[in-house]
């Protein structure tokens, strides 16, 4: 009775699960990830920062204008002796002054420092865009790893439900046969044990499915309900050319492009080290107003003045103790290291591509072989089922055929999704994942 109650509960849960499910397509998953994933949002914000840094206004190309103002108030105790010999003693004599001014400064020439910094910041902006692309490609790969894991577990779950239905049918047949005196209580007991085993397997699979959905939700940064279904069909690329992918790899792989960007940045840094050898020429001007009111000890009671002051200044560091030479030497070494890093990155990417391609080809062969296993195991099970109905094989032999079929289905299902993920890895290393067939 407890087994029956357990099976009824499981059936009702499964029915409720199927009735309340929402459906998440691959296209919807990609759209949600692009809009909500944290890593993509951060990468976009970094692009905005780099765009601001690359503006001329941020690098001193425009003149600067400053306004100044000040006021002073004094109370003095003083003794004043004039040329005539007269003497005046003052206590708490008040005097005050005020001034205002507007100054303009414009750097005419700074040894090309601004131009090189602009060039550097534009290159940094390009690197930020590449990093955003890297984030996008990483999210897509992570997304489909999570998406296809949900799909794989869903298919396994459906297969287990079918196996449970077969076990239930076998249990009912054993009971009917027992009523007619054909089978024994042992047959019923064995069938009940198998139903219970299959039911527990379904519960375990449901938990795996729940966890996989949570993982997918995390990648999407979405508020999708826990109970959703995904597309379980897999479409493989009709034809992948290894030679074509290798040919495009050098211009498409984002890690290689970032390494190339680092080379250009180091070359600009070399130029920047030379700017301190040249003078800086600035143009400046100021318009000011001054007013003062003096105490009685002064010859002047009050004074007002205003006017314009302009000039040009030159600043040239003739000798800095040899620091420039060290900076230029280090910049050259850094540039050499970046070139070596590019060569190393290229070799690593070639290795990763060869490994990904070999793994993909191997996974396809395994998937095709396991597909044939499924056909064979299903045929064997159908024959065993007919023979079991005719009581030509034992419960154990029937269960073995049933287990062989579910094992073949599970292995083939896993191989199919693993092969698809291997294909996406090939696209990823080649820098073409955005062109992949999902």
């Amino acid at each position: 009775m407890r087994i029956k109650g357990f099976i009824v509960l499981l059936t009702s849960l499964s029915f409720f699960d199927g009735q309340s499910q929402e459906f998440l397509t691959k296209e919807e998953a990609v759209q949600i990830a692009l809009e909500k994933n944290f890593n993509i949002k951060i990468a976009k914000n970094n692009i905005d920062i780099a765009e601001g840094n690359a503006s001329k206004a941020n690098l001193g190309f425009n003149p600067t204008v400053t306004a100044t103002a000040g006021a002073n108030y004094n109370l003095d105790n003083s003794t004043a002796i004039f040329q005539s010999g007269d003497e005046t003693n003052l206590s708490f004599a008040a005097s005050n002054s005020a001034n205002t001014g507007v100054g303009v400064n414009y750097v005419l020439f700074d040894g090309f420092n601004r131009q090189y910094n602009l060039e550097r910041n534009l290159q940094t902006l390009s690197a930020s865009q590449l990093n955003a692309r890297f984030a996008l490609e990483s999210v897509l790969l992570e997304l489909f790893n999570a998406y296809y894991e949900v799909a794989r577990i869903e298919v396994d779950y459906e297969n287990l439900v079918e196996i449970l239905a077969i076990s239930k049918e076998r249990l009912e047949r054993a009971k009917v046969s027992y009523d007619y005196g054909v089978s024994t209580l042992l047959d019923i007991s064995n069938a009940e044990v198998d139903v219970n085993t299959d039911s527990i397997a379904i519960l375990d699979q449901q938990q795996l499915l729940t966890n996989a959905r949570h993982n997918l939700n995390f990648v999407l940064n979405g508020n999708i309900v826990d109970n959703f279904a995904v597309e379980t069909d897999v479409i493989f690329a009709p034809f992948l050319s290894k030679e074509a992918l290798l040919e495009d790899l050098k211009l498409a792989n984002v890690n290689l492009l970032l390494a190339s960007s680092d080379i250009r940045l180091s070359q600009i840094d070399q130029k920047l080290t030379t700017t301190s050898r040249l003078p800086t020429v600035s143009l400046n001007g100021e318009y000011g107003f001054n007013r003062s009111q003096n105490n009685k000890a002064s010859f002047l009671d009050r004074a007002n003045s205003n006017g314009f002051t302009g000039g040009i200044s030159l600043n040239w560091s003739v000798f800095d103790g040899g620091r420039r030479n060290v900076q230029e030497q280090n910049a050259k070494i850094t540039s050499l290291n970046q070139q070596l890093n590019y060569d190393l990155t290229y070799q690593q990417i070639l290795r990763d591509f060869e490994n990904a391609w070999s793994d993909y080809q191997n996974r396809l062969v395994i998937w095709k072989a396991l597909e044939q296993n499924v056909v064979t195991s299903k045929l064997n099970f159908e024959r065993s089922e007919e023979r079991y109905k005719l009581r030509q094989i034992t419960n154990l032999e029937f269960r073995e055929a049933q287990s062989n079929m579910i094992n073949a289905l599970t292995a083939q299902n896993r191989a199919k999704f693993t092969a698809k993920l291997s294909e996406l890895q090939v696209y990823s290393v080649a820098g073409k994942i955005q062109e992949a067939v999902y």
Side-chain angles (χ1 to χ4, degrees):
M1 292 295 295
R2 283 181 294 179
I3 291 178
K4 287 183 178 179
F6 176 76
I7 295 172
V8 169
L9 176 61
L10 177 64
T11 304
S12 63
L13 286 174
S14 300
F15 177 78
F16 177 77
D17 184 75
Q19 290 295 316
S20 60
Q21 278 187 337
E22 295 184 11
F23 194 74
L24 177 67
T25 67
K26 298 169 189 174
E27 290 76 13
E28 289 171 341
V30 170
Q31 183 178 358
I32 293 172
L34 295 181
E35 292 175 356
K36 295 188 175 183
N37 184 270
F38 286 120
N39 290 328
I40 292 179
K41 286 183 176 181
I42 292 171
K44 289 179 178 178
N45 289 339
N46 288 336
I47 290 178
D48 293 339
I49 293 173
E51 286 178 345
N53 290 337
S55 65
K56 286 189 173 182
N58 183 58
L59 295 169
F61 278 88
N62 299 328
T64 58
V65 179
T66 57
T68 59
N72 292 296
Y73 182 81
N74 299 315
L75 286 175
D76 298 319
N77 296 319
S78 60
T79 299
I81 301 175
F82 299 96
Q83 293 288 341
S84 63
D86 295 337
E87 180 178 325
T88 301
N89 294 311
L90 300 174
S91 297
F92 300 104
S95 63
N96 59 75
S97 64
N99 63 84
T100 61
V102 177
V104 178
N105 183 273
Y106 180 64
V107 177
L108 297 175
F109 178 73
D110 64 350
F112 303 107
N113 185 71
R114 289 175 300 184
Q115 287 85 341
Y116 292 153
N117 272 307
L118 176 60
E119 185 179 347
R120 193 183 198 286
N121 288 357
L122 287 172
Q123 186 58 49
T124 301
L125 171 59
S126 176
S128 297
Q129 293 168 340
L130 287 173
N131 279 315
R133 180 185 151 192
F134 177 79
L136 170 62
E137 293 181 357
S138 298
V139 167
L140 285 176
L141 196 60
E142 184 182 6
L143 167 65
F144 280 102
N145 270 280
Y147 188 96
Y148 283 131
E149 180 66 4
V150 175
R152 181 189 68 80
I153 296 174
E154 277 189 9
V155 174
D156 284 346
Y157 176 82
E158 292 169 0
N159 290 334
L160 287 173
V161 170
E162 291 183 10
I163 292 298
L164 177 60
I166 294 171
S167 296
K168 288 180 182 179
E169 183 182 353
R170 175 182 152 215
L171 175 59
E172 293 302 318
R173 186 182 298 113
K175 290 178 179 179
V176 172
S177 298
Y178 177 77
D179 291 339
Y180 284 95
V182 179
S183 62
T184 65
L185 287 174
L186 181 60
D187 293 331
I188 295 176
S189 178
N190 287 336
E192 288 177 340
V193 169
D194 290 339
V195 167
N196 193 29
T197 300
D198 295 340
S199 300
I200 292 172
I202 286 181
L203 284 179
D204 288 339
Q205 199 70 15
Q206 283 180 324
Q207 184 59 52
L208 291 175
L209 187 55
T210 298
N211 293 343
R213 286 169 176 165
H214 289 163
N215 292 336
L216 178 55
N217 245 327
F218 174 78
V219 178
L220 298 176
N221 184 29
N223 296 316
I224 304 173
V225 294
D226 287 340
N227 184 30
F228 63 89
V230 300
E231 298 178 44
T232 57
D233 60 307
V234 173
I235 303 174
F236 288 91
F239 176 73
L240 279 182
S241 170
K242 181 180 180 181
E243 291 73 20
L245 289 173
L246 274 173
E247 185 178 347
D248 295 338
L249 182 146
K250 211 166 188 178
L251 298 176
N253 182 278
V254 68
N255 286 313
L256 203 59
L257 293 175
L258 283 169
S260 180
S261 176
D262 288 339
I263 291 176
R264 289 192 289 273
L265 283 172
S266 66
Q267 291 170 343
I268 297 171
D269 287 338
Q270 274 188 271
K271 297 178 183 178
L272 280 168
T273 60
T274 65
T275 60
S276 61
R277 294 187 178 277
L278 300 174
T280 299
V281 181
S282 300
L283 186 67
N284 54 75
E286 182 179 3
Y287 178 82
F289 172 80
N290 295 280
R291 181 191 65 80
S292 63
Q293 183 170 348
N294 303 314
N295 58 37
K296 294 180 179 180
S298 174
F299 288 105
L300 296 176
D301 178 58
R302 62 179 61 87
N304 297 324
S305 65
N306 63 81
F308 174 79
T309 302
I312 186 168
S313 62
L314 182 146
N315 184 12
W316 196 345
S317 176
V318 179
F319 180 68
D320 66 350
R323 285 178 294 179
R324 275 193 299 252
N325 294 333
V326 175
Q327 292 171 355
E328 290 175 6
Q329 180 181 0
N330 289 343
K332 290 178 181 178
I333 296 173
T334 299
S335 182
L336 175 61
N337 283 341
Q338 294 299 348
Q339 181 60 57
L340 292 172
N341 180 67
Y342 177 87
D343 295 338
L344 174 61
T345 302
Y346 182 58
Q347 292 301 320
Q348 289 173 335
I349 290 170
L350 283 180
R351 177 204 61 191
D352 293 343
F353 179 82
E354 291 292 344
N355 289 342
W357 181 265
S358 177
D359 183 66
Y360 172 56
Q361 298 301 313
N362 186 53
R363 295 295 179 183
L364 285 177
V365 172
I366 292 174
W367 171 51
K368 293 297 182 182
L370 289 175
E371 274 193 328
Q372 184 57 46
N373 281 359
V374 169
V375 174
T376 303
S377 64
K378 282 185 175 180
L379 183 59
N380 288 339
F381 175 75
E382 291 171 359
R383 291 173 178 171
S384 297
E385 190 174 31
E386 290 298 323
R387 294 181 65 191
Y388 178 73
K389 291 177 181 179
L390 297 173
R391 303 193 63 79
Q392 293 177 352
I393 60 174
T394 64
N395 290 330
L396 184 60
E397 290 172 321
F398 177 78
R399 181 62 177 179
E400 183 179 2
Q402 189 182 24
S403 297
N404 289 339
M405 183 176 68
I406 187 60
N407 290 338
L409 287 169
T410 302
Q412 185 270 342
N413 185 47
R414 180 179 292 276
K416 177 180 66 174
F417 287 104
T418 302
K420 181 58 183 178
L421 291 173
S422 296
E423 178 187 287
L424 293 180
Q425 185 63 33
V426 170
Y427 273 108
S428 178
V429 177
K432 298 284 189 177
I433 193 170
Q434 296 185 58
E435 302 174 15
V437 178
Y438 301 127

